[in-house]
Amino acid sequence: MEPSAQTTRVSVLLPYKFDTAFTYAADEPLAPGTLVRVPLGSRVVVGAVWDDAPDMAVKVKPIAGVYAVPPLPETTRKFIDWVAGYTLARRGDVLALGLKEQLLVAPPKRAKQFAFGGADPALPGPVLSPAQEAAATALCASVWAQKFEVTLLDGVTGSGKTEVYLEAVAEALRLGRQVMVLLPEIALSIQVLERFAARFGTAPAVWHSELTPAHRRETYRAVAEGRADVVVGARSALFLPFPKLGLIVVDEEHETAFKQEDGVMYNARDMAVVRAKFCACPVVLVSATPSLESVENAAQGRYRKLDLPSRHGGASLPKTHAIDLRQAPPERGKFLSPRLLAAMRETLERGEQAMLFLNRRGYAPLTLCRKCGHRIACPHCSAWLVEHRSHARLICHHCGHTIPKPVQCPSCEAENSFVPIGPGVERIAEEVAEAFPDTGALVMASDIIVGPAQAAEAARRINAREVGIIIGTQMVAKGWHFPLLTLVGVVDADLGLAGGDLRASEHTVQMLHQVAGRAGRAGAPGQVLLQTFAPEHPVIAALLSGDLQEFLAQEAAQRRPGHWPPFGRLAALIISATDERMADQAARDLARAAPRGQGIQVLGPAPAPIALLRGRFRRRLLLKTTREIAVQPLLRDWLARVEVPRVVRVDVDIDPVSFM
């Protein structure tokens, strides 16, 4: 049906792989942000009226309908445009992070049970220490001023950082504003939600991938209508349509899980700062082990820094010691040293709990034929298959490819010849069960504790003393508060230090310091034992001394001369194809067209450390510049000068965190 002469033209951005908005006809003017249904080919899809000028020359189709949902706020639309420009992503792909058609289906009346809100900021909070009170007062002043400001809240583990920023949340609620709290992992939301409920009399809204469709629909509407006053969520919560956002909190701001590694590659911590700027509201970055980027921003005066240097309630920080495995090795075929086992036994005899940390899921990271040495690799990735005895399978942790453990070696045909090499948490659990047969043990890893409900049950069992020993991966490294946990043993403190990752040492210190911080958070003193073959390594030395500021100063001194982040800028091009020769050719073509100039350096091309991923051969180029050079214009010009075949994909990663 042709639009009449009385219709008006509007631009509509679609949440698909388009960078430009399309022009449609409407019977009446529609405000920017209005959510509509529009024809696209043979389909009718969701879209948002955008701020772009409509094309007056093209033939247009009429809008099919308007959703009875509040329009996307101007701050949200500007944020989407900015993220697309910064990451070099298509605007439609960025819009899709927060807008999907299923979110706009009118929910049935019974779905109102999912509507949150009604948090009472007048309820009394806990008694704060003088240091907490000073920090809370400063944060509340920022919220009351209703202006953009970035604060780094740096507090040792157990110092009560959550209680401090909850006072800022209360101030925002008193002003009738909404609050967004970002967490790196949804498992962390369990104890955070409990603290919110205790402080404000009701739980906040939550936003993450494990929600049911009905729950997501109602939460989206509650946010858009201003009924959800506090939202605790994963990184995608950044793209929810808050109409009156008054505070953003990024908890565990140093966590690499805030970086989206595929699709639109963005760092939720950094984008939260941008979101707050558009909303003219404060943002609080919270960590016991802040990233070097945030520490440097605070040092340069771009961020304000507040410190909580001691634990709350008189609790002391745990004592950390190294176990030199060269001098005190475990028994043959075992992975826990006699000294660590003795400390666990003493802890359990006192009625306290112990935690063993190993950031490696499954039973063993490598399965090898004892006769011919054949290793079982993933056919789709440059990775070994990991044995998971709990599933009776070998699994690739990169693409999910899985097979039963072979009875016969495919290389030499020997039967029952495969043996596990190295430990995963399941193998440590087996060793613990043998050493402590009468003590309940619990494995906490992302393939075992799936979703908030299972995390809540795990926390209940630990607090109810049904569990004496916790064995976990990075899932247990942060956020948890278990009063009876007094001993933390790190099975392999050297894991993560190998390889050429720019941030390997920083990330290892952060993770091990965080997991060490689970010990001794109540009255009883805590102890941390690090099993290592290199007690003299700077990372181990920093953990033993507890002087993280000195460690970060040393890291900064190493990175500054070469203009490595945060003293320079990085962007990666990841070239991939199912044909290895085409990936190589495209990488060489891009390398020949690489930008050059003062303060600009291009490294590569080279195979990515994981050179084959999900059946695609991968090559990398790394653009490094001094801090004052914007990399986006360089990248746009670079990519425009090379014709890349359609079968080759080029992904752009601005500010890469992982180099795999």
Side-chain angles (χ1 to χ4, degrees):
M1 179 177 178
E2 285 293 322
S4 68
Q6 287 73 38
T7 59
T8 184
R9 292 179 176 231
V10 294
S11 290
V12 177
L13 186 63
L14 307 179
Y16 299 101
K17 296 185 180 299
F18 304 115
D19 193 49
T20 58
F22 293 84
T23 299
Y24 290 91
D27 291 334
E28 58 184 7
L30 295 175
T34 301
L35 300 178
V36 295
R37 298 171 63 244
V38 296
L40 179 67
S42 61
R43 298 180 296 157
V44 175
V45 299
V46 65
V49 176
W50 219 248
D51 305 83
D52 300 8
D55 189 334
M56 305 305 292
V58 297
K59 186 177 180 180
V60 295
K61 294 181 179 180
I63 284 175
V66 177
Y67 286 98
V69 178
L72 297 183
E74 181 182 14
T75 54
T76 302
R77 302 194 307 275
K78 287 184 175 180
F79 177 63
I80 288 170
D81 283 344
W82 194 96
V83 171
Y86 187 83
T87 62
L88 269 63
R90 291 173 287 243
R91 291 191 297 169
D93 285 334
V94 181
L95 176 63
L97 295 173
L99 179 63
K100 293 177 172 59
E101 189 166 5
Q102 56 266 37
L103 294 174
L104 304 179
V105 178
K109 290 184 178 180
R110 62 184 176 81
K112 290 295 181 182
Q113 64 180 302
F114 296 122
F116 295 102
D120 186 358
L123 290 176
V127 177
L128 302 181
S129 68
Q132 286 179 307
E133 186 68 46
T137 299
L139 293 182
C140 288
S142 288
V143 174
W144 185 85
Q146 299 188 46
K147 66 177 183 180
F148 171 67
E149 184 176 37
V150 187
T151 300
L152 174 61
L153 180 59
D154 182 357
V156 300
T157 54
S159 60
K161 297 181 292 295
T162 303
E163 286 73 18
V164 168
Y165 74 67
L166 287 184
E167 293 306 304
V169 172
E171 183 68 13
L173 295 177
R174 283 190 285 268
L175 294 170
R177 312 291 287 177
Q178 292 173 296
V179 177
M180 170 170 44
V181 179
L182 297 182
L183 298 175
E185 295 181 22
I186 59 174
L188 293 179
S189 65
I190 301 305
Q191 292 193 334
V192 170
L193 295 181
E194 291 174 351
R195 293 190 191 186
F196 267 84
R199 176 65 180 83
F200 300 114
T202 187
V206 292
W207 185 262
H208 53 70
S209 59
E210 298 295 323
L211 298 179
T212 64
H215 199 153
R216 290 177 71 84
R217 284 195 298 270
E218 175 51 28
T219 300
Y220 181 91
R221 286 176 175 263
V223 170
E225 295 168 4
R227 292 184 286 114
D229 42 25
V230 181
V231 176
V232 174
R235 56 185 177 238
S236 62
L238 273 172
F239 298 92
L240 288 172
F242 292 91
K244 49 181 182 178
L245 194 57
L247 173 67
I248 300 176
V249 177
V250 183
D251 208 344
E252 309 290 356
E253 66 88 29
H254 64 279
E255 270 293 319
T256 58
F258 279 125
K259 181 64 186 283
Q260 173 76 27
E261 295 283 7
D262 54 14
V264 180
M265 298 185 183
Y266 68 95
N267 190 313
R269 176 200 64 207
D270 300 340
M271 296 304 104
V273 172
V274 177
R275 185 84 158 98
K277 190 169 186 177
F278 279 120
C279 294
C281 76
V283 56
V284 184
L285 310 180
V286 184
S287 180
T289 54
S291 63
L292 185 54
E293 282 81 0
S294 294
V295 169
E296 179 64 15
N297 278 325
Q300 297 301 321
R302 291 185 284 267
Y303 295 175
R304 175 178 62 168
K305 188 167 182 285
L306 300 175
D307 293 298
L308 297 175
S310 58
R311 283 190 158 180
H312 184 61
S316 59
L317 289 169
K319 303 294 184 183
T320 303
H321 306 279
I323 299 176
D324 189 339
L325 294 179
R326 297 169 300 187
Q327 300 178 3
E331 293 181 14
R332 184 176 178 84
K334 305 292 184 182
F335 300 94
L336 304 179
S337 70
R339 183 178 169 189
L340 178 55
L341 289 169
M344 293 172 66
R345 193 167 292 109
E346 293 169 3
T347 299
L348 296 172
E349 289 172 353
R350 293 194 300 268
E352 297 163 1
Q353 293 167 317
M355 174 186 286
L356 295 177
F357 174 77
L358 176 63
N359 197 27
R360 188 182 275 155
R361 291 180 287 145
Y363 185 85
L366 175 64
T367 302
L368 179 144
C369 174
R370 67 162 64 92
K371 184 173 181 181
C372 72
H374 177 76
R375 304 176 181 187
I376 303 181
C378 176
H380 312 298
C381 304
S382 302
W384 309 118
L385 295 186
V386 177
E387 181 178 356
H388 285 248
R389 289 201 175 172
S390 59
H391 302 296
R393 310 285 290 179
L394 300 179
I395 302 173
C396 175
H397 286 175
H398 298 286
C399 72
H401 176 78
T402 178
I403 61 170
K405 185 177 178 180
V407 174
Q408 188 180 68
C409 175
S411 178
C412 70
E413 300 184 349
E415 293 191 356
N416 300 312
S417 62
F418 281 110
V419 293
I421 304 297
V425 286
E426 291 180 12
R427 195 169 191 180
I428 297 301
E430 184 177 271
E431 187 172 338
V432 163
E434 182 180 333
F436 304 97
D438 300 324
T439 301
L442 174 69
V443 176
M444 295 184 69
S446 59
D447 59 325
I448 296 173
I449 306 294
V450 181
Q454 291 189 20
E457 173 60 15
R460 185 202 65 76
R461 291 185 61 200
I462 294 168
N463 287 323
R465 302 191 185 190
E466 295 175 15
V467 171
I469 301 172
I470 306 157
I471 304 153
T473 61
Q474 63 181 358
M475 172 179 282
V476 302
K478 50 203 170 284
W480 301 101
H481 179 81
F482 300 128
L484 288 175
L485 180 62
T486 59
L487 173 67
V488 167
V490 177
V491 177
D492 186 353
D494 306 329
L495 187 64
L497 294 178
D501 193 321
L502 169 69
R503 298 182 175 90
S505 292
E506 179 187 358
H507 290 165
T508 301
V509 162
Q510 288 166 340
M511 182 178 295
L512 296 186
H513 184 80
Q514 290 276 350
V515 75
R518 300 312 102 202
R521 296 171 67 93
Q527 179 183 195
V528 181
L529 298 177
L530 309 175
Q531 293 195 155
T532 175
F533 285 99
E536 68 284 349
H537 193 284
V539 165
I540 306 300
L543 293 166
L544 295 177
S545 68
D547 193 347
L548 299 191
Q549 291 186 346
E550 175 59 25
F551 171 80
L552 287 178
Q554 294 174 6
E555 278 286 297
Q558 292 178 8
R559 296 190 201 176
R560 189 179 285 108
H563 302 290
W564 295 100
F567 309 103
R569 301 189 185 279
L570 287 182
L573 296 185
I574 302 99
I575 301 100
S576 65
T578 55
D579 186 311
E580 186 173 14
R581 292 172 299 177
M582 296 198 73
D584 283 330
Q585 184 60 52
R588 287 193 295 267
D589 291 344
L590 283 163
R592 281 193 290 267
R596 292 172 174 81
Q598 184 68 30
I600 299 172
Q601 184 180 9
V602 174
L603 307 174
I610 303 178
L612 178 65
L613 181 64
R614 303 183 186 97
R616 299 185 70 88
F617 295 91
R618 305 166 73 240
R619 305 294 181 260
R620 290 179 65 97
L621 288 153
L622 190 65
L623 171 65
K624 180 163 70 81
T625 74
T626 52
R627 187 173 177 82
E628 67 275 6
I629 297 177
V631 298
Q632 288 83 359
L634 292 175
L635 288 164
R636 289 191 188 96
D637 178 68
W638 184 5
L639 293 171
R641 286 187 278 114
V642 179
E643 186 175 347
V644 177
R646 292 177 62 87
V647 294
V648 176
R649 189 170 73 220
V650 179
D651 293 311
V652 180
D653 188 358
I654 308 290
D655 307 324
V657 170
S658 169
F659 293 85
M660 302 305 288

